[in-house]
């Protein structure tokens, strides 16, 4: 191992201001002691890596009652079936498979445990317990070097390590990658999916940036990071999930596909390897904020009412950055039990269940779960007309 990368503070190129925990849905009695930090974004020229500077401790974010369940979206359940099929093709009977951040076991439930030895590592107790209840081997711990000392596990014996929407949550990438390195066998692969910086810049979907998303990756940054550990990005496959993601395939052997080289060229053209694209993104965020406030104020001036749909982590960035509170949005509806009857982080908009949404119709609905648009529109088409939906990005 040649390198020393730990997250270092870099000069920010933009700030979203004071932010609460993205998933810190809270009760009224806790308003006064709510935690805030400065959401500043920097860009490492060396690694072409977008990162936030300050963030709460991982134990503060991924705790015993983490309110996000992978299985909460039907579309994502199908996506994880397809992702599992993709991985299954690379395994044989008796192979060892580990998922980092296995949440409620949605992905691992697609494997036949009689054929594949699956193991999920999940730091949030509530979701890890849920996976265990489904019969999936899940260890309630953070995936890092300490894990190797605390559980019985053979080194260099894992065929595939996977993750989805997890690696950008881990501040100490050095520790994480070294742990992966010591578990994978000589032909082992690390395959993971993450929201894609290129899609975020194209859509100006700045709400992908919040405390849990410490990094925003591109193929260029992933290639640079893993190379430092003698591990190589060999292929990348774009995904439509979460508004545009990328599946990265890491191997011990350097053997880049034509497809990967094409994406890397595209990223150069988009300036994803340098600060220019970030400065453009910053400008676009400011324009987006102005336009969103104007749209909402116009609705209100016309006497219209607004509710929000899906109390996503992402909504915390939008509401706090754009300073939108309960004077503008009456409530946000959501399907998650742990969020219902609480209040949104920072802006304290009430979170209500879907029954409330049906009985308290508003003129317009802010779709915070815009990445689940297809699924939600289909579900709600009887109740909400197409022209009643809006978001900070084009729907
Ligand atoms: O990376 C992360 C992604 C994968 O999931 C995490 N850091 C946290 C979380 O982010 P998110 O909250 O922005 O994820 P989603 O999947 O965009 O939104 C989930 C929320 O939306 C849940 O609270 C459930 C809600 N929802 C709903 O109320 N009705 C979702 C769907 C599909 C629905 O129909």
């Amino acid at each position: 191992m040649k390198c020393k990368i730990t997250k270092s503070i870099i000069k920010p190129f933009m700030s979203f201001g004071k932010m609460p925990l993205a998933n810190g849905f809270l009760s009224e009695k806790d308003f006064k002691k709510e935690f805030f930090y400065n959401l500043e974004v920097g860009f490492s020229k060396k690694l072409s890596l977008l990162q936030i500077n300050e963030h709460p401790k991982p134990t503060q974010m991924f705790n015993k009652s983490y309110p996000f369940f992978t299985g909460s979206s039907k579309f994502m359940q199908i996506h994880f079936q397809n992702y599992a099929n993709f991985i299954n093709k690379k395994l044989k009977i008796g192979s060892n498979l580990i998922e980092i951040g296995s949440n409620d076991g949605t992905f691992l439930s697609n494997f036949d445990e009689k054929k594949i030895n699956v193991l999920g590592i999940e730091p949030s107790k509530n979701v890890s317990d849920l996976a265990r209840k489904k019969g999936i081997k899940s260890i309630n711990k953070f995936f890092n070097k300490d894990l190797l000392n605390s559980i019985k596990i053979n080194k260099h014996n894992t065929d595939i390590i996977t993750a989805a929407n997890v690696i950008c949550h881990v501040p100490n990438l050095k520790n994480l990658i070294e742990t992966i390195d010591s578990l994978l066998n000589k032909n082992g692969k690390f395959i993971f999916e993450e929201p894609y910086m290129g899609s975020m810049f194209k859509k100006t979907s700045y709400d992908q940036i919040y405390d849990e998303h410490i990094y925003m990756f591109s193929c260029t940054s992933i290639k640079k990071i893993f190379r430092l550990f003698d591990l190589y990005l060999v292929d990348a496959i774009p995904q439509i999930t979460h508004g545009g993601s990328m599946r990265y395939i890491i191997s011990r052997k350097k053997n880049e596909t034509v497809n990967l080289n094409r994406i890397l060229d595209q990223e150069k053209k988009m300036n994803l390897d340098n600060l220019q694209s970030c400065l453009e993104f910053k400008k676009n965020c400011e324009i987006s904020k102005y336009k969103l406030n104007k749209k909402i104020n116009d609705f209100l001036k016309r006497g219209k009412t607004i509710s929000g749909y899906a109390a996503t982590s992402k909504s915390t960035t939008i509401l706090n950055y754009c300073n939108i509170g309960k004077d503008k949005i009456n409530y946000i509806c959501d399907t998650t039990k742990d969020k219902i009857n609480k209040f949104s982080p920072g802006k304290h908009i009430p979170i209500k269940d879907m029954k409330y949404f049906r009985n308290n119709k508003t003129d317009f609905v802010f779709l915070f779960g815009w990445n689940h648009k297809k699924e939600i529109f289909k579900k709600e088409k009887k109740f909400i007309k197409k022209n009643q939906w809006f978001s900070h990005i084009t729907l």
Side-chain angles (χ1 to χ4, degrees):
M1 205 291 306
K2 308 179 215 156
C3 97
K4 274 192 182 302
I5 60 161
T6 41
K7 192 177 157 290
S8 48
I9 303 291
I10 41 180
K11 199 169 153 255
F13 68 86
M14 74 178 294
S15 170
F16 289 98
K18 242 174 68 168
M19 262 314 139
L21 296 180
N23 268 311
F25 294 87
L26 70 178
S27 307
E28 205 163 347
K29 66 173 176 31
D30 297 321
F31 284 177
K32 280 211 177 98
K33 51 178 187 203
E34 191 169 10
F35 172 88
F36 287 89
Y37 68 101
N38 278 319
L39 183 54
E40 286 182 336
V41 191
F43 183 77
S44 152
K45 282 189 190 152
K46 192 176 134 209
L47 296 172
S48 302
L49 180 61
L50 190 118
Q51 69 171 56
I52 64 171
N53 276 337
E54 213 183 296
H55 56 83
K57 283 192 200 125
T59 44
Q60 212 172 335
M61 298 186 275
F62 310 110
N63 46 41
K64 59 181 184 345
S65 49
Y66 184 60
F68 175 74
F69 299 81
T70 305
S72 66
S73 151
K74 287 246 158 58
F75 171 76
M76 289 308 289
Q77 287 175 18
I78 295 166
H79 171 74
F80 281 113
Q81 270 171 23
N82 295 332
Y83 186 16
N85 289 342
F86 174 87
I87 300 283
N88 235 329
K89 286 188 192 132
K90 300 179 188 298
L91 297 169
K92 44 186 194 296
I93 292 178
S95 288
N96 296 323
L97 171 71
I98 292 178
E99 186 188 10
I100 308 173
S102 42
N103 198 276
D104 58 6
T106 299
F107 170 73
L108 289 180
S109 64
N110 293 296
F111 292 89
D112 181 350
E113 288 204 41
K114 284 186 212 104
K115 293 185 181 151
I116 309 292
N117 303 312
V118 304
L119 175 63
I121 311 291
E122 169 53 53
S124 302
K125 189 173 181 314
N126 60 327
V127 285
S128 170
D129 284 351
L130 195 57
R132 260 204 297 265
K133 269 190 206 143
K134 293 183 196 165
I136 292 154
K137 205 168 158 198
S138 175
I139 293 182
N140 177 215
K141 285 201 185 296
F142 280 95
F143 183 91
N144 54 29
K145 284 187 191 168
D146 293 344
L147 174 81
L148 303 180
N149 304 323
S150 64
I151 61 166
K152 246 176 99 185
I153 191 160
N154 291 332
K155 287 195 177 169
H156 300 299
N157 195 33
T158 304
D159 299 282
I160 295 190
I161 299 179
T162 60
N165 311 305
V166 170
I167 304 309
C168 70
H169 297 65
V170 181
N172 192 340
L173 289 178
K174 179 177 186 286
N175 188 315
L176 173 106
I177 298 171
E178 285 174 350
T179 310
I180 291 169
D181 189 21
S182 58
L183 285 172
L184 281 182
N185 62 28
K186 81 174 186 325
N187 294 317
K189 302 267 185 297
F190 174 44
I191 302 176
F192 66 107
E193 297 181 353
E194 297 291 315
Y196 181 52
M197 182 171 152
S199 306
M200 182 179 83
F201 279 11
K202 259 193 204 152
K203 293 193 164 86
T204 317
S205 46
Y206 61 83
D207 50 333
Q208 284 292 3
I209 300 175
Y210 51 90
D211 52 358
E212 296 177 15
H213 288 184
I214 293 164
Y215 303 103
M216 194 51 66
F217 297 120
S218 61
C219 291
T220 310
S221 58
I222 290 295
K223 179 177 169 165
K224 287 183 177 177
I225 292 166
F226 280 86
R227 202 165 53 185
L228 296 169
F229 298 86
D230 293 332
L231 290 166
Y232 300 95
L233 174 64
V234 291
D235 203 2
I237 305 165
Q239 306 293 316
I240 56 166
T241 48
H242 292 292
S245 301
M246 191 64 80
R247 180 179 298 166
Y248 301 100
I249 302 173
I250 307 288
S251 166
R252 292 195 187 280
K253 289 167 210 143
K254 194 177 175 184
N255 198 2
E256 290 178 1
T257 60
V258 176
N259 170 58
L260 174 61
N261 283 317
R262 190 185 45 80
I263 300 177
L264 288 166
D265 284 347
Q266 242 172 35
E267 290 189 353
K268 258 205 162 55
K269 284 192 195 123
M270 289 170 72
N271 285 311
L272 295 191
D273 59 339
N274 67 70
L275 190 66
Q276 200 184 314
S277 57
C278 298
L279 297 176
E280 188 76 14
F281 172 67
K282 177 187 176 195
K283 210 169 66 201
N284 290 338
C285 289
E286 283 156 9
I287 296 170
S288 168
K289 175 180 176 173
Y290 171 79
K291 282 189 176 163
L292 178 64
N293 271 306
K294 186 171 176 324
K295 178 178 266 179
I296 289 179
N297 290 337
D298 285 349
F299 287 157
L300 297 175
K301 265 188 225 148
R302 284 163 46 208
K304 305 293 181 193
T305 52
I306 307 170
S307 58
Y309 197 104
T312 59
S313 322
K314 297 183 288 294
S315 66
T316 299
T317 300
I318 304 171
L319 295 168
N320 287 276
Y321 171 56
C322 298
N323 194 19
I324 300 166
K326 54 180 183 288
D327 52 330
K328 297 186 173 169
I329 294 190
N330 298 359
Y331 65 88
I332 304 172
C333 65
D334 196 276
T335 52
T336 314
K337 255 205 247 140
D338 301 10
K339 294 182 186 176
I340 293 163
N341 295 329
K342 289 198 173 159
F343 294 85
S344 75
K347 290 294 161 195
H348 304 162
I349 299 172
I351 311 298
K352 301 290 185 186
D353 62 14
M354 302 316 286
K355 197 169 154 207
Y356 187 93
F357 177 63
R358 300 261 183 279
N359 295 333
N360 293 271
K361 277 197 173 175
T362 53
D363 299 304
F364 291 99
V365 185
F366 193 145
L367 182 60
F368 291 114
W370 54 270
N371 45 313
H372 299 297
K373 173 177 116 171
K374 234 176 151 182
E375 178 175 348
I376 293 172
F377 279 9
K378 195 172 161 202
K379 203 161 40 178
E380 300 297 347
K381 68 172 186 264
K382 266 203 225 142
F383 310 99
I384 316 284
K385 288 197 213 97
K386 265 227 153 118
N387 63 359
Q388 289 179 285
W389 293 106
F390 74 101
S391 192
H392 66 309
I393 61 154
T394 315
L395 289 177

